[in-house]
Short mmCIF file of all heavy atoms in Angstrom, two decimals:
data_model
loop_
_atom_site.label_atom_id
_atom_site.label_comp_id
_atom_site.label_asym_id
_atom_site.label_seq_id
_atom_site.Cartn_x
_atom_site.Cartn_y
_atom_site.Cartn_z
N PHE A 55 -8.90 -46.07 -40.92
CA PHE A 55 -9.88 -44.99 -40.88
C PHE A 55 -11.10 -45.35 -41.81
O PHE A 55 -12.25 -45.26 -41.46
CB PHE A 55 -9.26 -43.63 -41.22
CG PHE A 55 -10.25 -42.55 -41.45
CD1 PHE A 55 -10.71 -41.75 -40.34
CD2 PHE A 55 -10.83 -42.22 -42.69
CE1 PHE A 55 -11.60 -40.74 -40.41
CE2 PHE A 55 -11.74 -41.19 -42.82
CZ PHE A 55 -12.16 -40.44 -41.74
N GLU A 56 -10.79 -45.70 -42.97
CA GLU A 56 -11.76 -45.95 -44.05
C GLU A 56 -12.65 -47.17 -43.56
O GLU A 56 -13.92 -47.22 -43.75
CB GLU A 56 -11.21 -46.28 -45.43
CG GLU A 56 -10.51 -45.17 -46.03
CD GLU A 56 -11.36 -43.95 -46.30
OE1 GLU A 56 -12.59 -44.21 -46.50
OE2 GLU A 56 -11.01 -42.75 -46.48
N ALA A 57 -11.95 -48.23 -42.92
CA ALA A 57 -12.71 -49.36 -42.53
C ALA A 57 -13.65 -49.12 -41.45
O ALA A 57 -14.69 -49.60 -41.38
CB ALA A 57 -11.68 -50.55 -42.21
N VAL A 58 -13.24 -48.30 -40.50
CA VAL A 58 -14.02 -48.01 -39.37
C VAL A 58 -15.17 -47.10 -39.73
O VAL A 58 -16.29 -47.27 -39.23
CB VAL A 58 -13.13 -47.30 -38.27
CG1 VAL A 58 -14.05 -46.85 -37.10
CG2 VAL A 58 -12.12 -48.35 -37.59
N MET A 59 -14.92 -46.20 -40.52
CA MET A 59 -16.04 -45.16 -40.98
C MET A 59 -16.90 -45.79 -42.05
O MET A 59 -17.95 -45.20 -42.22
CB MET A 59 -15.33 -43.94 -41.49
CG MET A 59 -14.53 -43.18 -40.52
SD MET A 59 -15.69 -42.42 -39.26
CE MET A 59 -16.57 -41.22 -40.16
N ALA A 60 -16.55 -46.90 -42.61
CA ALA A 60 -17.39 -47.41 -43.78
C ALA A 60 -18.85 -47.65 -43.36
O ALA A 60 -19.73 -47.25 -44.04
CB ALA A 60 -16.79 -48.68 -44.30
N PRO A 61 -19.05 -48.29 -42.12
CA PRO A 61 -20.53 -48.50 -41.77
C PRO A 61 -21.29 -47.18 -41.59
O PRO A 61 -22.52 -47.12 -41.47
CB PRO A 61 -20.36 -49.34 -40.39
CG PRO A 61 -19.10 -49.91 -40.48
CD PRO A 61 -18.24 -48.98 -41.16
N LEU A 62 -20.54 -46.05 -41.33
CA LEU A 62 -21.15 -44.75 -41.15
C LEU A 62 -21.51 -44.08 -42.49
O LEU A 62 -21.89 -42.90 -42.42
CB LEU A 62 -20.40 -43.95 -40.24
CG LEU A 62 -20.13 -44.33 -38.72
CD1 LEU A 62 -19.26 -43.40 -38.01
CD2 LEU A 62 -21.52 -44.27 -38.10
N ALA A 63 -21.05 -44.66 -43.60
CA ALA A 63 -21.28 -44.00 -44.81
C ALA A 63 -22.68 -43.41 -45.16
O ALA A 63 -22.77 -42.36 -45.52
CB ALA A 63 -20.80 -44.88 -46.00
N PRO A 64 -23.76 -44.21 -44.70
CA PRO A 64 -25.08 -43.64 -45.00
C PRO A 64 -25.28 -42.41 -44.12
O PRO A 64 -25.89 -41.46 -44.68
CB PRO A 64 -25.98 -44.79 -44.52
CG PRO A 64 -25.21 -46.11 -44.73
CD PRO A 64 -23.84 -45.67 -44.34
N LEU A 65 -24.86 -42.45 -42.98
CA LEU A 65 -25.04 -41.27 -42.17
C LEU A 65 -24.17 -40.04 -42.53
O LEU A 65 -24.59 -38.86 -42.67
CB LEU A 65 -24.55 -41.49 -40.62
CG LEU A 65 -24.63 -40.33 -39.66
CD1 LEU A 65 -25.96 -39.66 -39.60
CD2 LEU A 65 -24.03 -40.79 -38.28
N THR A 66 -22.85 -40.35 -42.92
CA THR A 66 -22.07 -39.34 -43.58
C THR A 66 -22.71 -38.75 -44.90
O THR A 66 -22.70 -37.44 -45.04
CB THR A 66 -20.73 -39.88 -43.94
OG1 THR A 66 -20.09 -40.42 -42.74
CG2 THR A 66 -19.78 -38.75 -44.45
N ASP A 67 -23.20 -39.64 -45.75
CA ASP A 67 -23.81 -39.19 -46.97
C ASP A 67 -24.99 -38.26 -46.66
O ASP A 67 -25.39 -37.16 -47.30
CB ASP A 67 -24.31 -40.26 -47.90
CG ASP A 67 -23.17 -41.00 -48.38
OD1 ASP A 67 -22.02 -40.52 -48.47
OD2 ASP A 67 -23.38 -42.21 -48.91
N ARG A 68 -25.79 -38.61 -45.60
CA ARG A 68 -26.98 -37.85 -45.22
C ARG A 68 -26.64 -36.49 -44.65
O ARG A 68 -27.20 -35.47 -45.03
CB ARG A 68 -27.76 -38.61 -44.13
CG ARG A 68 -29.23 -38.14 -43.94
CD ARG A 68 -30.15 -39.12 -43.31
NE ARG A 68 -29.70 -39.51 -42.00
CZ ARG A 68 -29.24 -40.85 -41.70
NH1 ARG A 68 -29.14 -41.67 -42.58
NH2 ARG A 68 -28.82 -41.10 -40.41
N LEU A 69 -25.70 -36.51 -43.89
CA LEU A 69 -25.11 -35.20 -43.34
C LEU A 69 -24.55 -34.31 -44.50
O LEU A 69 -24.85 -33.10 -44.49
CB LEU A 69 -24.06 -35.42 -42.27
CG LEU A 69 -24.58 -36.05 -40.94
CD1 LEU A 69 -23.39 -36.56 -40.09
CD2 LEU A 69 -25.19 -34.96 -40.16
N TYR A 70 -23.87 -35.00 -45.31
CA TYR A 70 -23.31 -34.14 -46.37
C TYR A 70 -24.33 -33.54 -47.33
O TYR A 70 -24.31 -32.36 -47.69
CB TYR A 70 -22.39 -35.03 -47.32
CG TYR A 70 -21.92 -34.48 -48.61
CD1 TYR A 70 -20.95 -33.50 -48.62
CD2 TYR A 70 -22.47 -34.77 -49.94
CE1 TYR A 70 -20.50 -32.89 -49.86
CE2 TYR A 70 -22.04 -34.31 -50.97
CZ TYR A 70 -21.00 -33.36 -50.97
OH TYR A 70 -20.62 -32.75 -52.19
N GLU A 71 -25.48 -34.26 -47.62
CA GLU A 71 -26.50 -33.75 -48.38
C GLU A 71 -27.19 -32.81 -47.63
O GLU A 71 -27.66 -31.75 -48.31
CB GLU A 71 -27.38 -34.87 -48.82
CG GLU A 71 -26.80 -35.80 -49.81
CD GLU A 71 -26.43 -35.31 -51.16
OE1 GLU A 71 -27.07 -34.25 -51.54
OE2 GLU A 71 -25.34 -35.73 -51.77
N GLU A 72 -27.42 -32.90 -46.36
CA GLU A 72 -28.03 -31.77 -45.60
C GLU A 72 -27.23 -30.48 -45.63
O GLU A 72 -27.76 -29.35 -45.99
CB GLU A 72 -28.11 -32.16 -44.13
CG GLU A 72 -29.12 -33.18 -43.78
CD GLU A 72 -29.05 -33.68 -42.29
OE1 GLU A 72 -28.42 -32.90 -41.54
OE2 GLU A 72 -29.69 -34.62 -41.87
N MET A 73 -25.92 -30.56 -45.48
CA MET A 73 -24.93 -29.43 -45.40
C MET A 73 -24.98 -28.75 -46.86
O MET A 73 -25.01 -27.58 -47.00
CB MET A 73 -23.61 -29.85 -45.05
CG MET A 73 -23.48 -30.32 -43.60
SD MET A 73 -21.80 -30.92 -43.21
CE MET A 73 -21.94 -31.32 -41.54
N LYS A 74 -24.86 -29.64 -47.88
CA LYS A 74 -24.84 -29.18 -49.24
C LYS A 74 -26.14 -28.51 -49.53
O LYS A 74 -26.07 -27.53 -50.35
CB LYS A 74 -24.63 -30.36 -50.23
CG LYS A 74 -24.33 -29.94 -51.68
CD LYS A 74 -23.97 -31.24 -52.57
CE LYS A 74 -23.83 -30.67 -53.92
NZ LYS A 74 -23.68 -31.91 -54.79
N GLY A 75 -27.24 -29.04 -49.13
CA GLY A 75 -28.60 -28.35 -49.35
C GLY A 75 -28.76 -27.05 -48.89
O GLY A 75 -29.60 -26.22 -49.29
N ARG A 76 -27.78 -26.63 -47.80
CA ARG A 76 -28.00 -25.29 -47.16
C ARG A 76 -27.09 -24.36 -47.86
O ARG A 76 -27.04 -23.22 -47.48
CB ARG A 76 -27.64 -25.44 -45.76
CG ARG A 76 -28.58 -26.26 -44.94
CD ARG A 76 -28.16 -26.28 -43.40
NE ARG A 76 -28.82 -27.26 -42.70
CZ ARG A 76 -28.22 -28.39 -42.17
NH1 ARG A 76 -26.84 -28.39 -42.28
NH2 ARG A 76 -28.85 -29.31 -41.57
N ILE A 77 -26.31 -24.80 -48.99
CA ILE A 77 -25.41 -23.85 -49.66
C ILE A 77 -26.00 -23.60 -50.99
O ILE A 77 -26.41 -24.42 -51.74
CB ILE A 77 -24.02 -24.52 -49.79
CG1 ILE A 77 -23.30 -24.72 -48.50
CG2 ILE A 77 -23.17 -23.74 -50.77
CD1 ILE A 77 -22.09 -25.50 -48.64
N LYS A 78 -26.07 -22.29 -51.27
CA LYS A 78 -26.51 -21.81 -52.64
C LYS A 78 -25.31 -22.16 -53.59
O LYS A 78 -24.34 -21.54 -53.54
CB LYS A 78 -26.83 -20.34 -52.62
CG LYS A 78 -27.47 -19.82 -53.87
CD LYS A 78 -27.89 -18.41 -53.79
CE LYS A 78 -28.76 -17.89 -54.91
NZ LYS A 78 -28.09 -18.17 -56.24
N GLU A 79 -25.65 -23.11 -54.45
CA GLU A 79 -24.45 -23.58 -55.31
C GLU A 79 -23.96 -22.51 -56.27
O GLU A 79 -22.82 -22.40 -56.53
CB GLU A 79 -24.89 -24.90 -56.05
CG GLU A 79 -25.07 -26.07 -55.11
CD GLU A 79 -24.88 -27.38 -55.70
OE1 GLU A 79 -24.08 -27.49 -56.77
OE2 GLU A 79 -25.52 -28.39 -55.36
N ASP A 80 -24.88 -21.77 -56.85
CA ASP A 80 -24.40 -20.67 -57.73
C ASP A 80 -24.27 -19.37 -57.06
O ASP A 80 -24.68 -18.31 -57.43
CB ASP A 80 -25.46 -20.59 -58.85
CG ASP A 80 -26.83 -20.23 -58.45
OD1 ASP A 80 -27.07 -20.44 -57.17
OD2 ASP A 80 -27.69 -19.86 -59.32
N GLU A 81 -23.65 -19.39 -55.83
CA GLU A 81 -23.45 -18.28 -54.96
C GLU A 81 -22.55 -17.29 -55.63
O GLU A 81 -21.50 -17.60 -56.39
CB GLU A 81 -22.81 -18.67 -53.69
CG GLU A 81 -22.47 -17.69 -52.61
CD GLU A 81 -23.68 -17.21 -51.91
OE1 GLU A 81 -24.70 -17.95 -51.87
OE2 GLU A 81 -23.65 -16.00 -51.57
N SER A 82 -22.80 -16.02 -55.39
CA SER A 82 -21.96 -14.93 -55.97
C SER A 82 -21.89 -13.83 -55.05
O SER A 82 -22.68 -13.60 -54.15
CB SER A 82 -22.51 -14.38 -57.29
OG SER A 82 -23.78 -13.84 -57.16
N SER A 83 -20.75 -13.08 -55.03
CA SER A 83 -20.60 -11.97 -54.18
C SER A 83 -21.28 -10.77 -54.71
O SER A 83 -21.66 -10.66 -55.88
CB SER A 83 -19.07 -11.71 -53.98
OG SER A 83 -18.43 -11.32 -55.08
N VAL A 84 -21.54 -9.62 -53.81
CA VAL A 84 -21.94 -8.43 -54.29
C VAL A 84 -20.92 -7.57 -55.05
O VAL A 84 -19.93 -7.40 -54.59
CB VAL A 84 -22.56 -7.61 -53.10
CG1 VAL A 84 -23.03 -6.29 -53.58
CG2 VAL A 84 -23.50 -8.35 -52.27
N PRO A 85 -21.18 -7.32 -56.26
CA PRO A 85 -20.14 -6.53 -57.05
C PRO A 85 -19.73 -5.31 -56.23
O PRO A 85 -20.58 -4.64 -55.54
CB PRO A 85 -20.88 -6.12 -58.31
CG PRO A 85 -21.92 -7.19 -58.49
CD PRO A 85 -22.45 -7.54 -57.08
N GLN A 86 -18.43 -4.94 -56.33
CA GLN A 86 -17.88 -3.78 -55.79
C GLN A 86 -17.13 -2.97 -56.80
O GLN A 86 -16.19 -3.65 -57.55
CB GLN A 86 -17.00 -4.19 -54.54
CG GLN A 86 -16.36 -3.08 -53.79
CD GLN A 86 -17.30 -2.06 -53.26
OE1 GLN A 86 -18.18 -1.42 -53.86
NE2 GLN A 86 -17.31 -1.93 -51.85
N LYS A 87 -17.26 -1.69 -56.79
CA LYS A 87 -16.55 -0.89 -57.71
C LYS A 87 -15.11 -0.56 -57.23
O LYS A 87 -14.76 -0.26 -56.10
CB LYS A 87 -17.24 0.50 -57.80
CG LYS A 87 -16.56 1.53 -58.73
CD LYS A 87 -17.42 2.84 -58.73
CE LYS A 87 -16.80 3.91 -59.65
NZ LYS A 87 -15.48 4.37 -59.01
N ASP A 88 -14.14 -0.69 -58.17
CA ASP A 88 -12.77 -0.26 -57.96
C ASP A 88 -12.26 0.35 -59.16
O ASP A 88 -12.02 -0.34 -60.25
CB ASP A 88 -11.92 -1.48 -57.57
CG ASP A 88 -10.56 -1.10 -57.19
OD1 ASP A 88 -10.19 0.17 -57.15
OD2 ASP A 88 -9.70 -1.98 -56.75
N GLY A 89 -12.24 1.67 -59.26
CA GLY A 89 -11.87 2.37 -60.44
C GLY A 89 -12.91 2.29 -61.58
O GLY A 89 -14.03 2.53 -61.22
N ASP A 90 -12.52 1.89 -62.69
CA ASP A 90 -13.43 1.85 -63.82
C ASP A 90 -14.23 0.49 -63.94
O ASP A 90 -14.99 0.26 -64.93
CB ASP A 90 -12.70 1.95 -65.13
CG ASP A 90 -12.03 3.39 -65.24
OD1 ASP A 90 -12.64 4.32 -64.53
OD2 ASP A 90 -11.06 3.50 -65.86
N TRP A 91 -14.07 -0.38 -62.88
CA TRP A 91 -14.60 -1.70 -62.96
C TRP A 91 -15.43 -2.03 -61.79
O TRP A 91 -15.18 -1.53 -60.72
CB TRP A 91 -13.60 -2.73 -63.17
CG TRP A 91 -12.55 -2.47 -64.31
CD1 TRP A 91 -11.54 -1.66 -64.53
CD2 TRP A 91 -12.84 -3.02 -65.63
NE1 TRP A 91 -11.02 -1.66 -65.74
CE2 TRP A 91 -11.82 -2.57 -66.44
CE3 TRP A 91 -13.78 -3.86 -66.18
CZ2 TRP A 91 -11.71 -2.94 -67.92
CZ3 TRP A 91 -13.76 -4.24 -67.56
CH2 TRP A 91 -12.72 -3.71 -68.34
N LEU A 92 -16.35 -2.94 -62.00
CA LEU A 92 -17.10 -3.67 -60.89
C LEU A 92 -16.55 -5.03 -60.88
O LEU A 92 -16.52 -5.72 -61.98
CB LEU A 92 -18.58 -3.65 -61.26
CG LEU A 92 -19.41 -2.40 -61.04
CD1 LEU A 92 -20.85 -2.49 -61.64
CD2 LEU A 92 -19.47 -1.95 -59.56
N TYR A 93 -16.21 -5.51 -59.72
CA TYR A 93 -15.57 -6.78 -59.47
C TYR A 93 -16.44 -7.77 -58.57
O TYR A 93 -17.05 -7.25 -57.60
CB TYR A 93 -14.14 -6.65 -58.86
CG TYR A 93 -13.13 -6.00 -59.73
CD1 TYR A 93 -13.05 -4.61 -59.62
CD2 TYR A 93 -12.34 -6.77 -60.51
CE1 TYR A 93 -11.98 -4.00 -60.39
CE2 TYR A 93 -11.40 -6.17 -61.30
CZ TYR A 93 -11.21 -4.74 -61.24
OH TYR A 93 -10.27 -4.10 -62.01
N TRP A 94 -16.52 -9.02 -58.94
CA TRP A 94 -17.30 -9.98 -58.05
C TRP A 94 -16.68 -11.38 -58.37
O TRP A 94 -15.96 -11.66 -59.25
CB TRP A 94 -18.72 -9.81 -58.36
CG TRP A 94 -19.30 -10.49 -59.53
CD1 TRP A 94 -19.76 -11.61 -59.77
CD2 TRP A 94 -19.29 -9.79 -60.84
NE1 TRP A 94 -20.22 -11.79 -61.04
CE2 TRP A 94 -19.92 -10.61 -61.72
CE3 TRP A 94 -18.90 -8.53 -61.31
CZ2 TRP A 94 -20.11 -10.37 -63.10
CZ3 TRP A 94 -19.11 -8.13 -62.63
CH2 TRP A 94 -19.67 -9.06 -63.53
N THR A 95 -17.09 -12.32 -57.44
CA THR A 95 -16.75 -13.66 -57.68
C THR A 95 -18.10 -14.52 -57.75
O THR A 95 -19.20 -14.07 -57.16
CB THR A 95 -15.82 -14.24 -56.58
OG1 THR A 95 -16.57 -14.13 -55.38
CG2 THR A 95 -14.58 -13.46 -56.46
N ALA A 96 -18.00 -15.62 -58.33
CA ALA A 96 -19.27 -16.55 -58.42
C ALA A 96 -18.95 -17.97 -58.46
O ALA A 96 -17.91 -18.32 -59.22
CB ALA A 96 -20.14 -16.15 -59.57
N PHE A 97 -19.60 -18.82 -57.84
CA PHE A 97 -19.57 -20.28 -58.06
C PHE A 97 -20.69 -20.71 -59.09
O PHE A 97 -21.73 -19.99 -59.21
CB PHE A 97 -19.87 -20.97 -56.77
CG PHE A 97 -18.81 -20.96 -55.77
CD1 PHE A 97 -18.90 -20.02 -54.79
CD2 PHE A 97 -17.77 -21.76 -55.80
CE1 PHE A 97 -17.88 -19.92 -53.74
CE2 PHE A 97 -16.71 -21.78 -54.87
CZ PHE A 97 -16.79 -20.84 -53.80
N GLU A 98 -20.33 -21.70 -59.81
CA GLU A 98 -21.36 -22.27 -60.75
C GLU A 98 -21.92 -23.54 -59.94
O GLU A 98 -21.23 -24.12 -59.06
CB GLU A 98 -20.79 -22.68 -62.04
CG GLU A 98 -20.38 -21.37 -62.84
CD GLU A 98 -19.84 -21.87 -64.22
OE1 GLU A 98 -19.50 -23.11 -64.47
OE2 GLU A 98 -19.67 -20.92 -65.05
N THR A 99 -23.21 -23.89 -60.42
CA THR A 99 -23.81 -25.06 -59.68
C THR A 99 -22.86 -26.28 -59.85
O THR A 99 -22.45 -26.63 -61.10
CB THR A 99 -25.14 -25.44 -60.36
OG1 THR A 99 -26.00 -24.19 -60.16
CG2 THR A 99 -25.81 -26.57 -59.73
N GLY A 100 -22.56 -26.95 -58.84
CA GLY A 100 -21.68 -28.16 -58.83
C GLY A 100 -20.28 -27.82 -58.77
O GLY A 100 -19.37 -28.63 -58.71
N GLY A 101 -19.82 -26.55 -58.79
CA GLY A 101 -18.51 -26.11 -58.86
C GLY A 101 -17.77 -26.06 -57.51
O GLY A 101 -18.38 -25.55 -56.50
N GLN A 102 -16.58 -26.62 -57.52
CA GLN A 102 -15.80 -26.60 -56.23
C GLN A 102 -15.13 -25.31 -55.99
O GLN A 102 -14.87 -24.95 -54.78
CB GLN A 102 -14.73 -27.73 -56.28
CG GLN A 102 -15.27 -29.11 -56.29
CD GLN A 102 -15.21 -29.86 -54.94
OE1 GLN A 102 -15.49 -29.24 -53.92
NE2 GLN A 102 -14.92 -31.12 -55.01
N TYR A 103 -14.83 -24.57 -56.98
CA TYR A 103 -14.04 -23.29 -56.87
C TYR A 103 -14.86 -22.21 -57.57
O TYR A 103 -15.66 -22.38 -58.49
CB TYR A 103 -12.64 -23.52 -57.37
CG TYR A 103 -11.90 -24.65 -56.80
CD1 TYR A 103 -11.96 -26.03 -57.33
CD2 TYR A 103 -11.15 -24.42 -55.65
CE1 TYR A 103 -11.26 -27.01 -56.78
CE2 TYR A 103 -10.54 -25.44 -55.12
CZ TYR A 103 -10.53 -26.76 -55.65
OH TYR A 103 -9.76 -27.79 -55.00
N ARG A 104 -14.37 -20.94 -57.16
CA ARG A 104 -15.04 -19.75 -57.70
C ARG A 104 -14.45 -19.22 -58.99
O ARG A 104 -13.29 -19.58 -59.26
CB ARG A 104 -15.09 -18.65 -56.67
CG ARG A 104 -13.72 -18.20 -56.19
CD ARG A 104 -13.85 -16.99 -55.29
NE ARG A 104 -14.81 -17.26 -54.23
CZ ARG A 104 -14.51 -17.72 -52.95
NH1 ARG A 104 -13.26 -18.27 -52.86
NH2 ARG A 104 -15.28 -17.88 -52.01
N LYS A 105 -15.23 -18.40 -59.77
CA LYS A 105 -14.62 -17.73 -60.89
C LYS A 105 -14.65 -16.21 -60.54
O LYS A 105 -15.47 -15.72 -59.74
CB LYS A 105 -15.53 -17.91 -62.08
CG LYS A 105 -15.42 -19.34 -62.67
CD LYS A 105 -16.25 -19.59 -63.96
CE LYS A 105 -16.19 -20.93 -64.46
NZ LYS A 105 -16.72 -21.13 -65.80
N TRP A 106 -13.72 -15.54 -61.06
CA TRP A 106 -13.43 -14.11 -60.73
C TRP A 106 -13.87 -13.23 -61.98
O TRP A 106 -13.36 -13.50 -63.03
CB TRP A 106 -12.12 -13.80 -60.38
CG TRP A 106 -11.69 -14.56 -59.16
CD1 TRP A 106 -11.50 -15.85 -58.97
CD2 TRP A 106 -11.45 -13.90 -57.87
NE1 TRP A 106 -11.08 -16.12 -57.64
CE2 TRP A 106 -11.06 -14.96 -56.97
CE3 TRP A 106 -11.48 -12.62 -57.38
CZ2 TRP A 106 -10.75 -14.60 -55.64
CZ3 TRP A 106 -11.18 -12.32 -56.10
CH2 TRP A 106 -10.87 -13.42 -55.24
N TRP A 107 -14.85 -12.36 -61.78
CA TRP A 107 -15.43 -11.53 -62.88
C TRP A 107 -15.40 -10.17 -62.61
O TRP A 107 -15.07 -9.59 -61.58
CB TRP A 107 -17.00 -11.83 -62.92
CG TRP A 107 -17.28 -13.28 -63.25
CD1 TRP A 107 -17.46 -14.40 -62.41
CD2 TRP A 107 -17.61 -13.78 -64.59
NE1 TRP A 107 -17.77 -15.52 -63.21
CE2 TRP A 107 -17.84 -15.25 -64.48
CE3 TRP A 107 -17.56 -13.24 -65.86
CZ2 TRP A 107 -18.16 -16.09 -65.56
CZ3 TRP A 107 -17.84 -14.12 -67.03
CH2 TRP A 107 -18.09 -15.42 -66.78
#
Side-chain angles (χ1 to χ4, degrees):
F55 172 86
E56 295 294 339
V58 171
M59 292 295 291
L62 292 176
L65 175 60
T66 302
D67 290 343
R68 191 159 67 248
L69 288 164
Y70 172 74
E71 291 301 329
E72 287 176 13
M73 295 176 180
K74 187 177 179 183
R76 300 187 194 107
I77 293 176
K78 189 176 189 304
E79 291 206 30
D80 56 347
E81 180 75 26
S82 62
S83 64
V84 180
Q86 178 63 297
K87 178 180 176 294
D88 187 2
D90 296 331
W91 300 88
L92 289 170
Y93 293 91
W94 72 97
T95 63
F97 287 97
E98 294 181 346
T99 299
Q102 293 260 39
Y103 301 94
R104 58 174 53 86
K105 294 183 177 183
W106 296 72
W107 295 88

